[in-house]
Amino acid sequence: MARALRFRFSRDERLKYIAHLDVLRLFERAIKRAGLPVAYTQGFNPRQKIVFGLPIAVGLTSSAEYADIEFDEEMTPESFISRINQSLPEGIEVMEAVPVRNMGRIMSLIASARYEIAFTIPQAMDQDTLSGIVIDFLDQEDITVMKKTKKGMRPVNIRPLIYSLSVRKPDGDGYIMEAFLSAGAENNLRPDLLMQAFAQKTGLELTVESIHRRAMFASDFNEWKSPLEVADD
Amino acid sequence: MEVWDARSILLKMMRVKLDDKLLLQIEKPAKYTGNEWNMVRKDPDAVQVRFAFAFPDDYEIGMSHLGMKILYHTMNKREDTYCERVFAPWVDMERLMRERGIPLYALETYTPLSEFDIIGFTLQYEMSYTNILNMLDLGGVPVLAKDRDESHPFVCAGGPCAVNPEPLADFIDFFVIGEGEEVIHEIIDAYKEWKSSGGNRAAFLEQVAGIEGVYVPSLYEVIYYDDGTILDILPKSEKVPDVVRRRVVRDLDQVDFPDDIIVPYIGTVHDRIMLELFRGCIRGCRFCQAGFIYRPVRERSPEKLNELARSSVRKTGYEEISLVSLSTSDYSALPAFCDELLAFTEKEHVNLSLPSLRVDNFSLGLMERASKIRKSGLTFAPEAGTQRLRDVINKGVTDEDLKSSVQLAVAGGWNSVKLYFMLGLPTETMEDVDGIADMGISLVESCRGIADKNGGSLQITLSTSCFVPKPFTPFQWEPMDDIETLTEKQHHLKDRIRRRTRKIVYHYHNPRISHMEAVLARGDRRLGKVIYTAWKMGARFDGWDEHFSFERWQEAFRANGLDSAFYANRRRDFSEVLPWDHIDIGVTKEFLIRECRKAYEGDLTRNCASGCSHCGATVYGAGICFKQKKNQDQAGG
Ligand code: SF4
């Protein structure tokens, strides 16, 4: 039982074409349909008290999105999950929830994210060759690309924002890049920008087929932890 | 029968597939993927009739349209029918679809348009006509009705512009004149009957021509004089009626109104619950087509509306309800109804928006309670700049009314006021045009003190549209101002405002679009060729400034030996046969002529609530005319 919960939700292919703000509105309406006793902000334009961890870009699927929500009454995670899922459209689903102590800190907590990026290249390459290219790419100390910042387009060295990068070749066409990247309000590295930089620096004519967010982490005394694990803080 | 079996096999095979490469290249891909909350899901193989409701404009506009929500809901209540939605793909999507050979499809099942039994277009705006041709073509359906055979869907159309169906006669198999929620069932029943009878296309069209409110243009012949005016419009067979009478729903409480409307993922123009208070308008402003073609006024009961508000919020999760009607203040039970509704919306954190309210103490208080967020803009529609001209158009608003309303609003904290006018109204002189600027200026001056006291500054916006004469109005015989005159009036107004004040923003419409709107609104069926040529030359989304090309349309006219001025700028005689004379909307031609004469005298006509003016709409035996008679009877007895 708690007044506030932190939850993880997923988004699959069916709803990946909508933008972050549309996802927020979708949740607000689902909460209303479910008749959940969500708390509202005071003031002129009362809004539901719900805060999301990291914006979700158009085209991205994810199994690890996080948000905090506050209620006017005590709410169990189980009851929340079952009620909200009945009101959410197919394609978005709440997977787990835990009580959260400091509602709304989620945005500043998020520090890194893990992605799986499926891509293709015109000429087939074996995994070792491609892995070699990735290692060479990571060997550079400076990978400067133009990045959209609050102050407009700026050259930014993204190398420090890449924590790990590896490639694998699954059965069938294409390759999967597994990327562990800095994320969050401060030093966010978008996976599409990473791939752009990778293509640019290596000269590979790659086409990104899909991007999936596999996990998102909070930094807790030099340890990566799930945002649900640090909900007690 | 064979044809049908072949089609149902095809149907299983034909499903449009979209991929990321396409969807991530275009703007707002969610316009094309469907799957919204409350979208109706059925097994297409388990129904007998597949209906594609087609809105000839962008998804964001179409999804805001109440009529579509009503008919979608009504049709899908039937187990034997599956109604799906189709919108005009925006130009970026269209280009990719054509490049890749992807046919236009319905959002529910991704089925190509050509696989449906019936395609129904709604005609909300004349400038969307070329989109109809484009959508049919993209959907693999022959654009011309005469080219369709038993393997093709029937194409029908309804909505306000259908009161003059003639310009679209070449493309549409049959029109529905008037309100659709009852007649659509008769059409679907007729379709099922025809389908099982194995008859040919013509047999079905003859059959539906017998349904009241249905007009089959191919069953009529239009004969012209040498000068291009009409000699006569004649049915080709004895089985079809001489005149097609508009359909009307007699009791709104008895027909379905949707509470489980589709909730789009992306923002649309009207992204909220819409509660329809009543149909029709008691006022009878002489320029306003809606004021005549929806007569008589019929109200929905407050009990029903409150019930709908509750169930709609529960089923959609919407955070806003809007009351819709042509003039909200005229709803007879407004205060009591709003009290109850507000008690509910406040508790549920739902905003209530109240467009088209007359501004007075009551309504300002109401707006204040209803919506805590948007105390920014109020709109007024004086329509004309002088009392004389307002009397001509039967707009019963005085300068004093307006001044005190605006002062009230400004004192109440509203800091932006928009005023809507028309340029080119019948009898308009430069004095009337000046009156628009002068009204704005005098409002700025009279509100100066009040706005300062509130610490805000008042922003006044004047906006002028170009008057377009429409069928079934007292001005249906009037010439429209030509483009040069309208442009001159706009420039004159702009100058006059700029010379006097910087506090007023002035907006005006593109008179070239209005000119084409006027042509299509009062056109005859010879325009079919012009529309076809314009579309072939690339016309679509003509209502959007960035896509409209006046030169293209003029070229299409020249190519077909016609002149747009004949339709837009010519005064018609009362005795002339009008292209829509075989359509009967209930309001009589005699009444419209009387109103036109009164307009030139500057004579006002009372509204239906204060007394009947005998327009003819009593034939429907419904709504306010009925109430009216009762009152008179009581007074008499
Ligand atoms: S018949 Fe009379 S009351 Fe009825 S709509 Fe016409 S004018 Fe109004």
Side-chain angles (χ1 to χ4, degrees):
Chain A
M1 287 287 206
R3 279 294 177 106
L5 299 176
R6 174 166 297 162
F7 62 92
R8 174 171 74 87
F9 67 95
S10 65
R11 154 162 113 168
D12 69 21
E13 294 289 326
R14 287 168 293 183
L15 278 180
K16 71 175 184 180
Y17 298 108
I18 65 174
H20 180 62
L21 284 176
D22 301 327
V23 174
L24 306 194
R25 196 171 38 211
L26 177 158
F27 265 97
E28 283 176 12
R29 290 174 180 167
I31 288 161
K32 241 193 164 70
R33 289 193 291 264
L36 287 163
V38 62
Y40 280 80
T41 59
Q42 297 295 309
F44 248 19
N45 177 21
R47 313 273 326 202
Q48 294 181 1
K49 289 195 179 169
I50 177 165
V51 182
F52 289 77
L54 202 59
I56 182 164
V58 172
L60 187 84
T61 58
S62 174
S63 40
E65 298 300 305
Y66 294 87
D68 290 353
I69 181 170
E70 189 179 324
F71 299 100
D72 279 334
E73 308 165 3
E74 299 287 309
M75 174 70 56
T76 63
E78 299 71 40
S79 146
F80 168 69
I81 293 173
S82 87
R83 285 170 72 181
I84 187 83
N85 279 339
Q86 273 172 34
S87 291
L88 281 169
E90 287 172 32
I92 283 193
E93 191 182 351
V94 172
M95 315 300 286
E96 17 171 11
V98 297
V100 62
R101 187 194 305 244
N102 281 311
M103 151 85 195
R105 275 191 58 209
I106 183 81
M107 273 166 106
S108 52
L109 276 176
I110 302 296
S112 65
R114 202 179 277 289
Y115 297 92
E116 288 171 3
I117 305 151
F119 67 97
T120 51
I121 41 179
Q123 298 92 14
M125 248 183 228
D126 61 43
Q127 168 146 357
D128 290 346
T129 320
L130 208 50
S131 292
I133 296 176
V134 170
I135 289 163
D136 289 346
F137 173 70
L138 286 177
D139 262 351
Q140 308 171 83
E141 266 167 32
D142 192 319
I143 305 177
T144 295
V145 292
M146 296 304 284
K147 183 172 184 272
K148 206 153 98 193
T149 67
K150 280 169 202 135
K151 292 175 198 136
M153 294 301 281
R154 292 244 158 156
V156 172
N157 177 15
I158 62 165
R159 179 62 190 86
L161 307 181
I162 306 170
Y163 299 152
S164 82
L165 201 60
S166 62
V167 75
R168 70 185 155 86
K169 172 137 187 47
D171 300 342
D173 289 347
Y175 307 84
I176 304 266
M177 185 78 93
E178 294 196 346
F180 186 36
L181 309 175
S182 174
E186 282 309 312
N187 288 307
N188 197 57
L189 176 55
R190 288 176 53 144
D192 49 341
L193 186 68
L194 166 82
M195 293 308 279
Q196 215 180 301
F198 181 69
Q200 223 173 64
K201 305 285 172 192
T202 59
L204 283 178
E205 278 176 54
L206 59 86
T207 310
V208 173
E209 302 289 340
S210 67
I211 304 178
H212 182 75
R213 188 138 70 198
R214 169 67 56 214
M216 222 191 266
F217 300 99
S219 155
D220 188 45
F221 299 103
N222 288 330
E223 237 188 293
W224 296 120
K225 281 195 176 156
S226 147
L228 298 187
E229 284 179 278
V230 296
D232 265 347
D233 295 0
Chain B
M1 285 313 283
E2 263 168 341
V3 177
W4 294 110
D5 291 338
R7 273 185 68 187
S8 58
I9 292 161
L10 251 180
L11 218 141
K12 288 200 190 85
M13 296 171 4
M14 295 278 289
R15 285 291 158 79
V16 169
K17 285 250 178 328
L18 304 168
D19 55 49
D20 270 22
K21 283 207 195 65
L22 183 137
L23 289 168
L24 293 177
Q25 264 184 64
I26 51 174
E27 265 179 64
K28 304 195 184 173
K31 294 199 285 198
Y32 309 103
T33 51
N35 196 29
E36 306 95 325
W37 187 260
N38 283 336
M39 182 187 94
V40 174
R41 285 160 222 270
K42 290 187 181 184
D43 175 2
D45 295 331
V47 299
Q48 284 165 280
V49 182
R50 297 192 68 186
F51 194 104
F53 194 111
F55 196 99
D57 209 322
D58 188 69
Y59 176 93
E60 290 167 70
I61 313 270
M63 281 304 289
S64 306
H65 179 242
L66 182 59
M68 175 180 229
K69 295 174 201 283
I70 292 176
L71 287 170
Y72 182 78
H73 176 88
T74 303
M75 278 189 256
N76 278 322
K77 273 206 140 181
R78 295 175 69 119
E79 261 177 37
D80 59 1
T81 305
Y82 191 6
C83 173
E84 308 184 37
R85 295 161 300 148
V86 189
F87 300 92
W90 194 244
V91 284
D92 56 347
M93 179 65 167
E94 183 194 335
R95 190 173 24 91
L96 292 177
M97 289 171 77
R98 289 203 186 270
E99 264 171 38
R100 299 176 182 206
I102 297 172
L104 183 61
Y105 56 90
L107 293 181
E108 273 67 11
T109 59
Y110 290 36
T111 306
L113 209 49
S114 57
E115 300 303 318
F116 282 83
D117 294 311
I118 307 175
I119 302 166
F121 283 95
T122 177
L123 312 176
Q124 298 297 314
Y125 181 38
E126 292 82 357
M127 300 314 284
S128 67
Y129 287 177
T130 48
N131 281 357
I132 296 176
L133 279 61
N134 204 39
M135 287 169 78
L136 289 173
D137 183 59
L138 260 177
V141 180
V143 165
L144 294 169
K146 66 171 173 53
D147 295 339
R148 291 177 208 133
D149 61 30
E150 279 68 20
S151 72
H152 297 118
F154 287 101
V155 179
C156 65
C161 296
V163 295
N164 176 20
E166 291 305 286
L168 292 175
D170 290 348
F171 316 106
I172 304 293
D173 294 310
F174 64 95
F175 291 88
V176 176
I177 316 293
E179 293 162 9
E181 54 262 78
E182 285 172 349
V183 69
I184 195 69
H185 291 300
E186 294 163 36
I187 292 167
I188 292 174
D189 291 340
Y191 183 82
K192 280 166 64 186
E193 201 179 298
W194 170 78
K195 195 163 153 179
S196 59
S197 77
N200 63 13
R201 218 172 154 84
F204 175 69
L205 291 176
E206 251 177 51
Q207 194 180 339
V208 283
I211 298 175
E212 182 158 295
V214 174
Y215 168 60
V216 181
S218 58
L219 298 180
Y220 293 77
E221 195 181 346
V222 183
I223 309 162
Y224 300 90
Y225 287 113
D226 285 343
D227 67 0
T229 58
I230 295 171
L231 171 66
D232 211 348
I233 305 167
L234 297 167
K236 286 182 185 165
S237 104
E238 278 171 15
K239 280 191 236 148
V240 292
D242 293 345
V243 168
V244 176
R245 159 84 62 82
R246 174 178 69 109
R247 284 292 285 262
V248 149
V249 169
R250 293 189 53 188
D251 183 351
L252 291 191
D253 283 347
Q254 296 304 315
V255 290
D256 266 319
F257 191 81
D259 58 2
D260 55 352
I261 56 172
I262 294 177
V263 185
Y265 293 118
I266 59 165
T268 57
V269 179
H270 297 293
D271 195 10
R272 54 186 79 100
I273 294 163
M274 290 183 259
L275 283 184
E276 187 192 33
L277 300 184
F278 59 90
R279 283 196 195 151
C281 179
I282 58 171
R283 304 261 147 202
C285 298
R286 292 179 180 128
F287 58 86
C288 176
Q289 192 184 39
F292 297 94
I293 64 168
Y294 298 123
R295 288 186 181 213
V297 164
R298 287 143 295 145
E299 293 191 342
R300 199 166 256 119
S301 67
E303 297 75 38
K304 182 85 193 170
L305 289 166
N306 267 303
E307 194 186 301
L308 283 167
R310 278 158 216 272
S311 57
S312 299
V313 170
R314 202 172 55 237
K315 292 181 186 173
T316 64
Y318 264 123
E319 57 291 316
E320 185 173 354
I321 296 177
S322 169
L323 301 184
V324 302
S325 69
L326 290 164
S327 153
T328 304
S329 300
D330 291 328
Y331 184 61
S332 59
L334 193 65
F337 164 62
C338 284
D339 270 346
E340 194 180 335
L341 187 58
L342 276 165
F344 165 71
T345 57
E346 280 166 356
K347 196 171 116 257
E348 297 291 321
H349 299 280
V350 171
N351 280 307
L352 183 61
S353 69
L354 303 151
S356 61
L357 266 187
R358 261 195 313 284
V359 172
D360 53 26
N361 275 319
F362 164 72
S363 63
L364 285 174
L366 200 62
M367 282 184 259
E368 178 117 29
R369 256 187 90 186
S371 175
K372 313 255 176 323
I373 28 173
R374 268 173 303 166
K375 207 179 190 179
S376 47
L378 269 189
T379 56
F380 297 85
E383 310 291 3
T386 60
Q387 193 59 51
R388 186 199 68 79
L389 193 52
R390 281 197 298 275
D391 289 348
V392 168
I393 60 175
N394 203 37
K395 183 94 194 176
V397 177
T398 66
D399 282 340
E400 271 317 302
D401 289 344
L402 194 77
K403 195 186 266 179
S404 62
S405 298
V406 173
Q407 284 177 345
L408 260 178
V410 175
W414 270 269
N415 51 25
S416 124
V417 171
K418 280 204 184 90
L419 299 169
Y420 287 100
F421 297 91
M422 269 180 286
L423 285 177
L425 285 163
T427 79
E428 184 183 61
T429 63
M430 275 329 229
E431 207 175 296
D432 300 305
V433 178
D434 288 345
I436 295 173
D438 299 353
M439 183 184 267
I441 291 158
S442 92
L443 284 176
V444 169
E445 278 161 8
S446 72
C447 291
R448 188 168 286 148
I450 313 173
D452 290 348
K453 221 181 285 164
N454 284 349
S457 74
L458 174 65
Q459 171 76 59
I460 288 196
T461 307
L462 301 182
S463 178
T464 61
S465 61
C466 308
F467 166 66
V468 174
K470 293 276 166 107
F472 297 106
T473 66
F475 294 152
Q476 64 178 352
W477 297 276
E478 293 295 313
M480 180 180 176
D481 266 0
D482 58 35
I483 293 166
E484 293 67 39
T485 310
L486 286 165
T487 309
E488 200 185 302
K489 286 176 179 173
Q490 289 173 340
H491 287 213
H492 178 85
L493 201 48
K494 204 164 139 190
D495 274 358
R496 190 176 177 92
I497 294 167
R498 190 174 298 153
R499 277 207 314 272
R500 302 273 300 276
T501 177
R502 301 264 153 187
K503 296 226 152 127
I504 295 178
V505 179
Y506 174 50
H507 292 303
Y508 51 91
H509 279 214
N510 180 346
R512 300 176 137 203
I513 295 186
S514 304
H515 176 86
M516 280 315 305
E517 181 189 334
V519 169
L520 295 173
R522 291 187 298 172
D524 53 41
R525 53 172 73 181
R526 295 178 306 167
L527 284 189
K529 291 197 172 57
V530 179
I531 296 171
Y532 187 83
T533 310
W535 166 69
K536 274 279 178 197
M537 289 165 59
R540 66 214 57 183
F541 289 107
D542 285 306
W544 301 73
D545 249 316
E546 70 258 45
H547 297 299
F548 175 76
S549 159
F550 183 70
E551 288 67 34
R552 182 160 51 208
W553 276 100
Q554 287 305 310
E555 217 179 307
F557 268 98
R558 277 192 300 274
N560 291 286
L562 291 168
D563 179 8
S564 67
F566 173 84
Y567 296 97
N569 310 118
R570 181 174 62 90
R571 178 177 297 284
R572 286 117 171 113
D573 199 87
F574 285 146
S575 63
E576 181 174 328
V577 176
L578 301 171
W580 51 93
D581 269 356
H582 54 315
I583 306 293
D584 171 13
I585 62 149
V587 174
T588 61
K589 205 173 199 180
E590 291 67 44
F591 174 76
L592 295 176
I593 292 175
R594 207 155 70 224
E595 280 294 292
C596 184
R597 294 207 163 110
K598 282 175 83 177
Y600 276 88
E601 302 292 316
D603 245 359
L604 293 176
T605 296
R606 63 185 170 184
N607 70 53
C608 301
S610 44
C612 176
S613 301
H614 310 288
C615 74
T618 36
V619 291
Y620 290 112
I624 195 156
C625 324
F626 182 67
K627 263 196 201 162
Q628 200 60 39
K629 276 207 199 78
K630 228 160 99 181
N631 291 343
Q632 278 165 1
D633 287 350
Q634 277 163 3

